[in-house]
């Protein structure tokens, strides 16, 4: 049996996350900056695992303190 490499996950960008959440792009960046949305940085780019985002939504998420 051949070992198979783990399948890479496709990460979404900030505009995709904004569309999924129904918020403006600057709100996604603010949530990322406050470590409210699970995200990773690749250089200056922000990427979000769609499965982690769905888990965050299902757990009730957490908004910014100014909300």
């Amino acid at each position: 049996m051949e070992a198979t490499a783990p399948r890479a996950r496709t990460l979404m960008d900030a505009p995709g996350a904004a569309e999924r959440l129904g918020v403006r792009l600057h709100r996604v960046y603010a949530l990322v900056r406050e470590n409210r949305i699970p995200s990773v940085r690749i250089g200056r780019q922000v990427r979000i695992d769609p499965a982690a985002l769905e888990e965050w939504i299902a757990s009730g998420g957490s908004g910014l303190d100014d909300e």
Side-chain angles (χ1 to χ4, degrees), residues 10-54:
T10 301
L11 300 174
M12 74 172 46
D13 58 8
E19 183 176 332
R20 171 63 186 96
L21 294 171
V23 298
R24 293 183 182 197
L25 183 57
H26 77 295
R27 179 62 67 184
V28 170
Y29 285 123
L31 290 167
V32 167
R33 200 170 35 253
E34 296 288 324
N35 294 316
R36 304 291 177 120
I37 292 180
S39 63
V40 295
R41 287 200 173 268
I42 303 171
R44 294 182 64 181
Q45 299 177 18
V46 172
R47 293 291 184 261
I48 298 149
D49 180 348
L53 183 62
E54 292 301 323

